[in-house]
Amino acid sequence: LAKTTQPISMDSYEGQEVNITCSHNNIATNDYITWYQQFPSQGPRFIIQGYKTKVTNEVASLFIPADRKSSTLSLPRVSLSDTAVYYCLVGPSGSARQLTFGSGTQLTVLP
Amino acid sequence: NAGVTQTPKFQVLKTGQSMTLQCAQDMNHEYMSWYRQDPGMGLRLIHYSVGAGITDQGEVPNGYNVSRSTTEDFPLRLLSAAPSQTSVYFCASSYSGLAGPSGEQYFGPGTRLTVT
């Protein structure tokens, strides 16, 4: 299993860019990296997914270096409503037994 | 579309009791999965299914049974509840896989289970 490590918590101010990094040193060749957002008392919600280099969608960017041993979720110009726990997930599209969720990063956006 | 629904929202069991957590999805997804979430430990995969009639174990399957007779439903059974199974349980579905292309998972609202 690709063990993942994330910071426990981060604080930011409204309007700033936030970068959350996930370390996955023993990621396998066929593993993908996915990020989810979770609000209290709700199920996680998909944010973005990638395999290598950079992926961007309407809410976030995902940066994956060439060695793929880490990944960085970038949230541009955060607002108070972005306060949530963010999880990285590493695993292949095939066997789910190799799936590993990180323990999550609590992002708090301050006014 | 209702997405992924779970019942009940809350449940209290005594040690040794059995119960079934219900999960249903209306997106015609092939993959469905069950996770448990404990404080400070993220989500851990219990069981998953790649289609009707096909299930497999995840990281923490002991004490839980699943079956998948239809595409829409994926119930999770606790045969003899233990205090260690106190947790929040999430069901999820996805079109194809639990990660990677088409592996975007849609999660239900969760069931908070307490075993005394």
Side-chain angles (χ1 to χ4, degrees):
Chain A
L1 291 178
K3 179 176 170 56
T4 59
T5 304
Q6 302 177 231
I8 294 173
S9 63
M10 297 179 67
D11 290 343
S12 181
Y13 290 96
E14 278 192 293
Q16 288 188 330
E17 178 184 70
V18 170
N19 295 312
I20 306 174
T21 297
C22 180
S23 297
H24 27 80
N25 288 326
N26 57 340
I27 189 170
T29 303
N30 57 346
D31 282 344
Y32 290 81
I33 300 154
T34 312
W35 284 82
Y36 285 86
Q37 175 192 55
Q38 186 178 29
F39 297 111
S41 301
Q42 294 185 23
R45 185 174 69 175
F46 173 89
I47 302 174
I48 197 166
Q49 172 251 310
Y51 182 80
K52 61 181 179 180
T53 64
K54 176 183 174 181
V55 180
T56 298
N57 61 23
E58 62 276 10
V59 299
S61 294
L62 177 59
F63 299 91
I64 305 170
D67 66 7
R68 303 201 328 123
K69 292 186 176 183
S70 67
S71 57
T72 299
L73 173 71
S74 182
L75 305 173
R77 298 180 299 282
V78 294
S79 65
L80 297 177
S81 62
D82 292 316
T83 293
V85 179
Y86 292 82
Y87 292 96
C88 70
L89 167 65
V90 175
S93 61
S95 172
R97 292 199 188 199
Q98 310 304 316
L99 222 60
T100 303
F101 264 97
S103 53
T105 298
Q106 170 67 58
L107 172 65
T108 302
V109 180
L110 305 169
Chain B
N1 286 351
V4 179
T5 58
Q6 293 183 237
T7 56
K9 285 186 169 51
F10 302 94
Q11 183 69 52
V12 179
L13 291 178
K14 294 187 187 308
T15 297
Q17 287 185 319
S18 64
M19 79 159 295
T20 299
L21 307 184
Q22 301 292 345
C23 174
Q25 54 95 7
D26 62 359
M27 296 174 281
N28 202 31
H29 285 166
E30 287 298 319
Y31 280 68
M32 296 187 74
S33 52
W34 277 101
Y35 296 87
R36 60 177 290 172
Q37 185 172 41
D38 301 302
M41 297 191 69
L43 291 96
R44 292 183 292 170
L45 182 66
I46 304 172
H47 285 285
Y48 68 102
S49 169
V50 302
I54 307 170
T55 64
D56 199 359
Q57 297 178 350
E59 181 185 354
V60 289
N62 293 341
Y64 308 94
N65 274 1
V66 292
S67 60
R68 183 127 177 247
S69 55
T70 68
T71 298
E72 294 77 21
D73 301 296
F74 191 42
L76 178 72
R77 282 181 289 276
L78 283 70
L79 302 177
S80 179
S84 61
Q85 293 179 305
T86 293
S87 187
V88 180
Y89 291 85
F90 289 101
C91 178
S93 74
S94 57
Y95 178 72
S96 176
L98 301 187
S102 302
E104 173 183 346
Q105 295 188 65
Y106 294 80
F107 285 82
T111 294
R112 187 173 296 274
L113 175 68
T114 301
V115 183
T116 61

